[in-house]
Amino acid sequence: MNEPVKKPARKKVELDPRFVNYKHVWVFIEAERGVVHPVSWELLGEGRKLADALGVELAGVVMGPPGERTRQICGEAFHYGADLCYLAQDEVLRDYRNEPYTRALTELVDTYQPEIMLLGASTLGRDLAGSVATTLATGLVADCTELVIEADSRNLASTRPTFGGSLLCTIMTQRHRPQMATVRPRVMAMPDADTARSGRIVEHKLAIIESSIITKVLEFIPDAQQDKPQLAFADIIVSGGRGFKKQENFQLVWDLAKVLGAEVGASRPIVQAGWVELDRQVGQSGKTVRPKLYIAAGISGAIQHRVGMDGSDVIIAINNDPNAPIFDFAHYGIVGNAMQILPALTEAFRAQIALARRAG
Amino acid sequence: MHSVVCIKQVPDSAQIRVHPVTNTIMRQGVPAIINPYDLFALEEALRLKDRFGGTVTVITMGPPMAEVALRKCLSFGADDAILVSDRAFAGADTLATSYALAAAIGKIRENMPVDLIFTGKQTIDGDTAQVGPGIARRLDYQLLTYVSAIREIDHEKREILVERRAEGGVQVLKTKLPCLITMLEGTNEMRYGDMDDMFRAARHPLKQWDRLAAGIEDPNVVGLKGSPTVVGKVFAPKPRSQRAEIIETVDNDPKNLVVTLLAKVFTQHPKLEREIERLAK
Ligand SMILES: Cc1cc2nc3c(=O)[nH]c(=O)nc-3n(C[C@H](O)[C@H](O)[C@H](O)COP(=O)(O)OP(=O)(O)OC[C@H]3O[C@@H](n4cnc5c(N)ncnc54)[C@H](O)[C@@H]3O)c2cc1C
């Protein structure tokens, strides 16, 4: 007999009944010494879409020392899309420390029960997210590049590069709440601030006493401003990869960057070889950038590089292999030897700029 | 002073090639290495041993072949090595991984108290940076992530003073032992093992612990079953709706190519042209 083979239906994983009342989308607003990390606003932009898809509210979580500034941050969160803010003001939250922040955020989650919670994948966000997710025994997906609500299950589907692979995968937390995810700075677009928007503040009193906190901050030594390359907010980036073969050749990347007033970026092998410092690495384990112009020379366009620069407005790729994956997502391409094309490009830009100077 | 260093064996990503047609990773023949970030953790633990004496134990959760990575650590000077390995651990996400490692460290602690746990900042294959914080939470150790320097340890008071990389600066933190440190990269340089250690490493009886030996009764808290996250579909990144517009000229001479390129880019993106002129000024 030829009975059709029954495919096992995809097993529907039910939400643990403990979590049925968990609702709304939260974004942890990362503020240190009164300064909000821009990734928090980017996440509010993304959280807004998720909240709208679910038909729920978007909340910002603001924690910090008592004072006007901490409260002001709630107002800014409303401008970027939050409907309400949970505000915890306490002296123990003056500097970031893992223990009081973990305790405070866990307490807020247990009390107000969000279904989704997003944090920036900054040093602070990664430190906090891992601790809070473990305490809550819930799922946490790091470094997501896309977040959407799956229509039938209403679960959060978080996309990130596969572990060590050249593919992407979608990860879900089906039984537990909140569904937690981190997103790296600059991966999501910065929403426009609407200064007319406002919202409500829910104040939460913590009961954490300083003497119960074991770790003490003795000092904070701020980085000197121009210490480090500022790739994340650069308008133009010229990046080089293994196609340059020798360190001397990489000078061509610097030459072009100089003419353009651009930052120099690189793929990971270049950083690993020590040709440029770590702060110039673009990609999954480096910086995410969104310049107006990204020039990639001698870079193959592996997914781990791509996720760091896909948001650039205009991408020009130079590669001698017409089948290099970079041509799948660059806007313009030249198939050729980077060692010849780059100097020519430097000259062409130099001429163009000289012309503009003379004209204006 | 007893330090436990958590390491992971990973494929050497510098040697991974992507298949040009299928865009999948070609793992065959790719050598396995110790996660490079973990070497900074191991070196720091060895330095503390040089300064204060004591013991360095390395531990990894992984398949039997991870033994190689552990022996390498012994050859650098670690005193003991434990491989936590069981089929039941397969498919673990970071939460289930930290569960297994924390349980095993709990077992280690029964024989000798643990003052410090070290991990690397993150792994090069998973990149999550979640396992260190997870272990600290489970064992209720103070967590110090992204540590760039250990300034002082006061054994009497059981206090430690460290520098920690934070957003926009360095925090100087004082806390109590025991604690878990995730070491920042580039903070020290891995030593070469000496001959004695190399011979010792080859002969050292490695401990291999399965789930029960690691003190985990319930099989549902580890591996795939103990992982709240599930991996759904795996897919290749979408190309943009249009592939790059490839610039060509009759002679394909570099000069002509770039002039054609700039003309095209600036016609289609006039704002960019003005931007470049502004930046160059
Ligand atoms: C967990 C993980 C995280 C990672 N994170 C990052 C990351 O953050 N950033 C990153 O960049 N990579 C990262 N990688 C590595 C990534 O997978 C690639 O290996 C890397 O991006 C490749 O660098 P590349 O393009 O310079 O080198 P290759 O892939 O070797 O490409 C060199 C390219 O140069 C071209 N070429 C050769 N000669 C010439 C010439 N004369 N003129 C023009 N073109 C030429 C070749 O055709 C080739 O396309 C990560 C990998 C893993 C597993």
Side-chain angles (χ1 to χ4, degrees):
Chain A
M1 254 194 283
N2 255 340
E3 272 204 320
V5 186
K6 245 203 220 140
K7 275 215 196 103
R10 192 174 141 210
K11 215 168 89 198
K12 211 172 152 224
V13 180
E14 295 292 338
L15 182 65
D16 188 312
R18 281 178 297 161
F19 301 116
V20 288
N21 292 325
Y22 280 58
K23 266 209 172 49
H24 308 301
V25 177
W26 284 15
V27 170
F28 174 76
I29 309 294
E30 172 177 340
E32 277 195 291
R33 287 164 301 283
V35 181
V36 177
H37 197 303
V39 71
S40 304
W41 306 146
E42 294 160 14
L43 287 178
L44 280 177
E46 210 53 27
R48 185 71 262 164
K49 294 182 213 159
L50 299 177
D52 290 345
L54 287 166
V56 299
E57 286 189 312
L58 174 66
V61 180
V62 177
M63 310 205 293
E68 208 30 53
R69 177 58 199 145
T70 309
R71 183 173 289 275
Q72 252 172 17
I73 292 171
C74 298
E76 290 166 31
F78 300 141
H79 298 167
Y80 286 104
D83 299 309
L84 73 157
C85 276
Y86 293 99
L87 173 64
Q89 297 190 87
D90 198 304
E91 206 42 61
V92 297
L93 303 173
R94 181 163 293 280
D95 287 291
Y96 176 74
R97 285 177 296 173
N98 178 264
E99 189 180 0
Y101 271 75
T102 300
R103 279 164 61 179
L105 189 54
T106 308
E107 184 175 313
L108 286 170
V109 168
D110 286 338
T111 313
Y112 303 102
Q113 310 190 332
E115 60 194 298
I116 291 173
M117 181 156 72
L118 310 178
L119 298 92
S122 56
T123 51
L124 189 162
R126 283 177 173 232
D127 183 282
L128 181 60
S131 303
V132 170
T134 309
T135 313
L136 297 168
T138 191
L140 166 62
V141 187
D143 298 349
C144 300
T145 54
E146 200 184 333
L147 299 167
V148 291
I149 301 297
E150 202 190 50
D152 45 344
S153 69
R154 293 171 63 82
N155 281 330
L156 176 67
S158 312
T159 298
R160 62 160 289 158
T162 48
F163 297 104
S166 57
L167 303 171
L168 295 164
C169 64
T170 298
I171 299 181
M172 296 214 269
T173 298
Q174 297 167 318
R175 286 179 51 80
H176 298 81
R177 293 292 179 266
Q179 307 160 83
M180 289 178 62
T182 65
V183 178
R184 303 185 48 221
R186 305 291 281 160
V187 168
M188 305 298 180
M190 176 67 81
D192 292 325
D194 174 359
T195 48
R197 276 189 104 258
S198 154
R200 45 184 222 284
I201 294 178
V202 178
E203 285 216 51
H204 184 88
K205 270 245 81 30
L206 294 170
I208 304 176
I209 45 170
E210 180 59 41
S211 60
S212 72
I213 306 295
I214 296 170
T215 300
K216 308 290 176 193
V217 180
L218 302 190
E219 203 186 337
F220 181 83
I221 309 162
D223 293 331
Q225 248 336 293
Q226 58 284 54
D227 256 14
K228 291 184 152 188
Q230 298 297 330
L231 255 65
F233 293 92
D235 285 319
I236 305 181
I237 294 174
V238 185
S239 270
R242 193 139 60 176
F244 284 89
K245 304 206 169 69
K246 282 199 246 138
Q247 183 163 16
E248 303 93 272
N249 298 336
F250 204 79
Q251 184 58 37
L252 299 173
V253 175
W254 288 97
D255 294 345
L256 175 54
K258 182 142 185 267
V259 166
L260 289 172
E263 283 285 1
V264 166
S267 65
R268 189 163 78 167
I270 301 306
V271 172
Q272 283 175 334
W275 297 3
V276 300
E277 61 264 54
L278 182 66
D279 285 303
R280 298 198 180 277
Q281 181 175 320
V282 173
Q284 185 191 336
S285 43
K287 294 275 178 297
T288 304
V289 300
R290 304 178 78 87
K292 301 194 169 87
L293 174 63
Y294 189 89
I295 301 176
I299 293 179
S300 59
I303 182 65
Q304 293 87 3
H305 189 80
R306 176 175 172 177
V307 295
M309 42 69 79
D310 221 0
S312 310
D313 292 344
V314 176
I315 301 169
I316 297 176
I318 300 157
N319 197 301
N320 63 359
D321 173 6
N323 296 318
I326 188 108
F327 292 128
D328 290 342
F329 57 94
H331 301 94
Y332 302 94
I334 291 182
V335 179
N337 184 346
M339 263 80 83
Q340 294 167 353
I341 304 290
L342 227 57
L345 199 54
T346 306
E347 271 323 303
F349 273 120
R350 204 198 301 276
Q352 163 90 18
I353 289 161
L355 205 67
R357 275 202 194 128
R358 236 174 295 143
Chain B
M1 187 85 207
H2 183 199
S3 299
V4 170
V5 184
C6 304
I7 65 143
K8 186 182 181 191
Q9 192 183 45
V10 296
D12 184 356
S13 62
Q15 305 211 30
I16 290 184
R17 290 283 174 281
V18 177
H19 192 281
V21 178
T22 58
N23 203 28
T24 54
I25 215 118
M26 301 192 288
R27 274 182 192 274
Q28 295 94 322
V30 175
I33 55 169
I34 300 170
N35 173 44
Y37 291 118
D38 298 344
L39 293 177
F40 300 106
L42 177 60
E43 174 61 26
E44 203 61 29
L46 292 172
R47 286 186 185 189
L48 291 185
K49 185 184 151 189
D50 294 344
R51 263 164 79 185
F52 305 112
T55 307
V56 174
T57 304
V58 279
I59 180 170
T60 192
M61 182 182 107
M65 71 174 222
E67 179 184 335
V68 183
L70 289 177
R71 289 211 187 274
K72 187 96 193 159
C73 294
L74 291 168
S75 80
F76 287 132
D79 300 287
D80 202 3
I82 298 161
L83 172 61
V84 186
S85 190
D86 196 307
R87 285 260 176 81
F89 298 148
D93 71 1
T94 56
L95 198 82
T97 301
S98 71
Y99 190 97
L101 284 170
I105 295 170
K107 273 281 162 196
I108 296 174
R109 228 168 21 168
E110 287 176 9
N111 290 321
M112 193 193 295
V114 174
D115 303 300
L116 280 166
I117 302 172
F118 282 97
T119 73
K121 176 180 92 165
Q122 59 196 53
T123 58
I124 60 165
D125 62 342
D127 247 358
T128 67
Q130 286 166 12
V131 174
I135 295 171
R137 202 70 277 291
R138 291 180 185 286
L139 295 172
D140 204 13
Y141 277 31
Q142 288 298 303
L143 171 66
L144 302 169
T145 50
Y146 309 106
V147 169
S148 52
I150 296 179
R151 281 199 189 168
E152 279 168 43
I153 294 182
D154 183 332
H155 291 278
E156 295 278 286
K157 293 198 190 132
R158 296 197 48 78
E159 278 176 358
I160 181 167
L161 196 67
V162 303
E163 294 178 14
R164 166 179 188 268
R165 163 110 319 260
E167 294 291 324
V170 172
Q171 277 185 325
V172 181
L173 297 174
K174 184 159 94 177
T175 194
K176 292 253 187 235
L177 298 177
C179 63
L180 185 144
I181 288 178
T182 83
M183 215 51 211
L184 197 67
E185 73 279 5
T187 43
N188 56 37
E189 208 171 313
M190 191 69 219
R191 65 196 55 199
Y192 292 100
D194 61 28
M195 271 305 180
D196 286 351
D197 280 329
M198 284 200 233
F199 287 127
R200 187 178 54 83
R203 287 194 311 263
H204 187 91
L206 213 77
K207 295 192 182 78
Q208 184 162 338
W209 289 358
D210 62 9
R211 173 173 65 80
L212 287 171
I216 302 163
E217 303 284 331
D218 183 358
N220 294 314
V221 293
V222 290
L224 200 56
K225 285 193 188 133
S227 301
T229 60
V230 285
V231 178
K233 65 174 195 275
V234 174
F235 54 100
K238 313 192 252 304
R240 249 187 244 288
S241 47
Q242 261 180 323
R243 263 178 65 90
E245 178 172 353
I246 301 290
I247 309 295
E248 286 172 315
T249 58
V250 208
D251 52 1
N252 276 343
D253 172 70
K255 265 205 197 94
N256 296 334
L257 279 171
V258 300
V259 169
T260 314
L261 170 75
L262 291 196
K264 195 152 261 171
V265 173
F266 290 151
T267 324
Q268 290 170 6
H269 304 273
K271 275 219 304 252
L272 186 61
E273 180 171 14
R274 286 195 295 279
E275 187 68 27
I276 285 171
E277 285 159 5
R278 182 183 67 80
L279 279 168
K281 267 173 198 155

